[in-house]
Amino acid sequence: VLTINLGVLMKYQLEVNIQKPIDEVVKLFITQENLFKWMPGLKKLELIAGEKGNPGSKTKLFFDMNGKDIEMIETLHISNLPEEFTATFEAKGVVNKQTTRFKKIDENNTIYESDNEFYFSGFMKIMNLMSSAFKKQSRKYLEAFKKFAENEG
């Protein structure tokens, strides 16, 4: 059970249609090395606990976001795709719980659905006022994955 006690909460859901069969989309998504192909700014991944891809594993992610170095810890909670992939991403003053689902529309179309919850503490509580920036960044990653998946293979 995931418990987060940080204060301010922001929630939203995004989705995008990917013109690719669900099995191919899921395979591209769960292949960790593919993150570098569609996640802008990602520089490095470092497994720090558990086994890669298994619930309970922790990975440190290193990003360059507009010239600023950002580190965050990903903790994998549920890995049961296409039904559910839930992880938390922790950085200073913010925790993002993200649940991803893939749904088959037909043989060549898949919906990528992303539920996001952000918890803020300390100085980062004011970031809740900039919720559109978080949604824009999340949408950017969804669209980047869509483009990658549709052009891969």
Side-chain angles (χ1 to χ4, degrees):
V1 174
L2 176 62
T3 304
I4 302 173
N5 294 315
L6 283 181
V8 179
L9 168 67
M10 173 178 54
K11 292 172 82 167
Y12 56 88
Q13 183 182 73
L14 300 170
E15 67 177 45
V16 67
N17 181 43
I18 299 173
Q19 295 179 335
K20 203 77 155 177
I22 192 168
D23 292 343
E24 291 180 40
V25 171
V26 169
K27 184 177 179 186
L28 291 170
F29 184 84
I30 63 171
T31 303
Q32 199 174 51
E33 293 74 24
N34 286 341
L35 291 173
F36 295 99
K37 298 177 182 177
W38 63 270
M39 195 171 277
L42 181 62
K43 298 190 308 185
K44 180 179 164 187
L45 298 170
E46 182 181 302
L47 182 67
I48 57 175
E51 292 184 41
K52 181 172 94 172
N54 289 338
S57 65
K58 291 181 181 285
T59 303
K60 188 180 279 191
L61 293 88
F62 299 85
F63 286 90
D64 177 354
M65 295 213 171
N66 301 320
K68 184 174 182 182
D69 287 333
I70 304 286
E71 292 181 15
M72 62 180 68
I73 304 294
E74 174 197 52
T75 303
L76 181 55
H77 300 284
I78 299 170
S79 183
N80 183 29
L81 285 174
E83 289 80 22
E84 181 178 356
F85 182 93
T86 298
T88 50
F89 299 88
E90 300 175 56
K92 188 174 181 178
V94 63
V95 175
N96 170 220
K97 176 185 172 198
Q98 186 174 58
T99 299
T100 299
R101 287 178 291 282
F102 294 104
K103 296 179 180 175
K104 179 179 177 176
I105 301 303
D106 58 35
E107 294 306 313
N108 294 305
N109 286 282
T110 302
I111 293 292
Y112 173 1
E113 195 174 86
S114 175
D115 295 339
N116 293 273
E117 296 178 10
F118 284 87
Y119 301 84
F120 303 97
S121 65
F123 175 75
M124 290 300 290
K125 285 183 180 181
I126 66 166
M127 293 306 286
N128 190 47
L129 301 172
M130 297 174 55
S131 62
S132 64
F134 285 88
K135 290 178 190 173
K136 185 177 177 182
Q137 186 68 29
S138 296
R139 171 63 65 191
K140 181 178 173 181
Y141 286 140
L142 249 66
E143 294 294 338
F145 180 76
K146 171 187 169 66
K147 183 177 179 182
F148 163 70
E150 289 179 348
N151 292 311
E152 191 69 19

